[in-house]
Amino acid sequence: MPAPEFTVSIVIKVGTQAILAENGAPMEQTLQTLTQQIAGLMAAGHQVLLVSSGAVGSGRHAARQLLGREYGKSTGEKQLLAALGQHELMRTYTRLFAPHGIAVAQLLLTKQDFNTRQHYLNIARLLREVTSQKNILPVINENDSVSIEELMFTDNDELSGLIAAQTNADKLIILTSVDGVYDGHPDEPASKKIDVIDPRKDVWPEAKAGKTAQGRGGMATKLGTARRMSDIGITTHIASLKTENVLTRIVSGEALGTTILPHTRKSNLKKWMSFSAGAKGGNITVNAKLDTLLRTGGRAMSLLPVGIESVGGDFKKGDLIDILAPSGDKIGIGIARYGSDRLREYVGQKDKPEIVHYDHLHIRAGA
């Protein structure tokens, strides 16, 4: 592949259904094609990070083949299967990338790893170091063997979005078994694929396809991630891994699958906030007027006590706090400039210091 005029940073996410057969065995030809394309992109100078599902499916296959056991779907058994299958998945990637002179670096993460700004920055530093090595590919997955159910990522779609935000990626490419987003169920003959979603003028489509048999997510989580990517200025592509040379063609500018265009650029701090797991209990409820102003946007604003109706939980200066509408719906997240006790004294009053500065406020897309 000839050297391009410019390089891009790409996060690629592959789902379980796209790379494993129904019995959990790796689809060899599909994976060879995937690794060849990634190797070509890296040889051309592009920065690539791979988020790969498949540990539980691989573990289920290993348990059948090696142990003659069939495990169920409880959290404990899935954790066991992930522990069995993760190294099998990595062994497959190691074997397939080796002929291209590429080493793979495993990174297993949980949602808790992103809860604090310092942990977030530590992961970002590691990813910068790995991707600065031109012949090392980071392969990232949720650490399913230790994640507890209530704190799991919705799916690796969510994790891939967080990695894309963290690394300031130009593109997030989500590869699945469906060739894009449809205006109806993909199995219905009348359904049409949506080629481009422009959040500045298009209505967001509803996900019509359910989750895959082996995965936790589905088109709903992919669209949810794409929407958040758009809100922070990253282009998302949802396409089928079965499409010939899908990665190479997307990066070269060809229109494949569904492209979700970026809306605005956000600071690195706001990118972290947009994918944060949320506050640890502290929240503020804004009044109806401020709620409307925050949702409609259009101008920068900080949160003042005069626009706040109530304070929930306890928090201190520097903590993340959830921003709630009068209905109780979460519309955003912010960093508190002082503690909850002081804010309770100021609620509803004019001429009091802002509780959240605009630079430390993120209002979620579609709120």
Side-chain angles (χ1 to χ4, degrees):
M1 181 181 294
E5 294 181 3
F6 62 92
T7 60
V8 294
S9 173
I10 311 154
V11 174
I12 299 164
K13 185 265 177 177
V14 290
T16 301
Q17 197 87 347
I19 60 171
L20 300 183
E22 197 169 321
N23 66 355
M27 294 193 285
E28 192 75 13
Q29 185 57 52
T30 299
L31 282 163
Q32 282 187 357
T33 300
L34 172 67
T35 54
Q36 286 169 0
Q37 291 180 73
I38 291 175
L41 293 175
M42 293 177 67
H46 298 299
Q47 181 186 84
V48 182
L49 300 93
L50 177 62
V51 178
S52 176
S53 302
V56 174
S58 295
R60 200 174 294 280
H61 180 255
R64 289 168 180 153
Q65 295 292 107
L66 302 175
L67 306 176
R69 291 285 304 273
E70 187 68 46
Y71 288 96
K73 296 184 178 181
S74 70
T75 298
E77 287 179 312
K78 285 191 288 187
Q79 289 176 315
L80 171 62
L81 291 173
L84 283 172
Q86 180 61 34
H87 72 92
E88 295 288 341
L89 183 66
M90 290 301 297
R91 185 167 65 177
T92 299
Y93 280 126
T94 299
R95 172 173 56 82
L96 293 175
F97 276 110
H100 302 284
I102 295 173
V104 294
Q106 175 180 260
L107 182 57
L108 299 177
L109 298 168
T110 66
K111 207 163 190 175
Q112 298 96 304
D113 293 325
F114 296 92
N115 276 0
T116 70
R117 180 70 173 159
Q118 189 57 54
H119 284 157
Y120 181 89
L121 293 174
N122 288 343
I123 296 167
R125 184 175 61 244
L126 170 62
L127 292 174
R128 283 196 304 272
E129 182 64 31
V130 173
T131 53
S132 70
Q133 312 298 315
K134 303 304 181 184
N135 59 346
I136 301 178
L137 174 73
V139 178
I140 304 161
N141 196 4
E142 180 169 11
N143 195 351
D144 290 320
S145 59
V146 300
S147 292
I148 56 175
E149 194 161 12
E150 60 268 27
L151 288 177
M152 286 180 176
F153 291 105
T154 305
D155 179 76
N156 266 348
D157 299 318
E158 183 184 2
L159 175 57
S160 67
L162 206 159
I163 296 297
Q166 188 175 49
T167 57
N168 292 314
D170 299 294
K171 291 179 180 293
L172 169 63
I173 303 177
I174 299 176
L175 297 177
T176 181
S177 53
V178 181
D179 62 347
V181 180
Y182 283 75
D183 60 5
H185 196 285
D187 294 339
E188 296 176 358
S191 296
K192 295 181 179 179
K193 183 170 66 71
I194 302 171
D195 294 327
V196 178
I197 300 172
D198 186 344
R200 290 164 293 191
K201 58 183 180 182
D202 296 332
V203 176
W204 278 89
E206 294 183 11
K208 301 295 184 181
K211 67 180 182 179
T212 58
Q214 299 185 66
R216 285 208 307 268
M219 192 54 72
T221 66
K222 291 168 178 56
L223 278 173
T225 296
R227 190 167 191 167
R228 293 163 83 177
M229 290 291 93
S230 177
D231 187 47
I232 59 176
I234 296 173
T235 300
T236 302
H237 302 269
I238 300 174
S240 173
L241 183 52
K242 297 176 184 177
T243 302
E244 186 177 2
N245 292 323
V246 60
L247 290 174
T248 307
R249 292 162 68 187
I250 285 176
V251 174
S252 67
E254 189 171 341
L256 296 175
T258 299
T259 300
I260 298 91
L261 299 176
H263 185 267
T264 55
R265 295 295 297 183
K266 293 285 178 70
S267 68
N268 289 342
L269 179 63
K270 289 197 177 186
K271 287 179 180 180
W272 166 64
M273 292 168 63
S274 71
F275 275 86
S276 168
K280 297 180 180 179
N283 62 75
I284 58 176
T285 300
V286 300
N287 61 29
K289 182 178 179 180
L290 182 53
D291 178 36
T292 300
L293 290 172
L294 291 172
R295 289 176 191 258
T296 54
R299 64 188 180 93
M301 65 171 58
S302 299
L303 302 190
L304 299 169
V306 67
I308 295 170
E309 286 189 341
S310 63
V311 181
D314 295 312
F315 53 85
K316 61 184 183 298
K317 179 180 179 180
D319 283 353
L320 286 172
I321 53 175
D322 290 333
I323 313 301
L324 308 180
S327 63
D329 294 334
K330 181 176 175 178
I331 61 172
I333 193 165
I335 299 176
R337 300 200 72 183
Y338 47 88
S340 52
D341 290 344
R342 183 179 172 191
L343 180 59
R344 286 188 175 94
E345 298 176 6
Y346 295 162
V347 165
Q349 299 180 42
K350 295 181 180 179
D351 302 322
K352 298 299 181 182
E354 61 199 13
I355 178 61
V356 179
H357 187 271
Y358 169 76
D359 289 339
H360 298 160
L361 173 66
H362 173 74
I363 301 301
R364 295 191 162 176

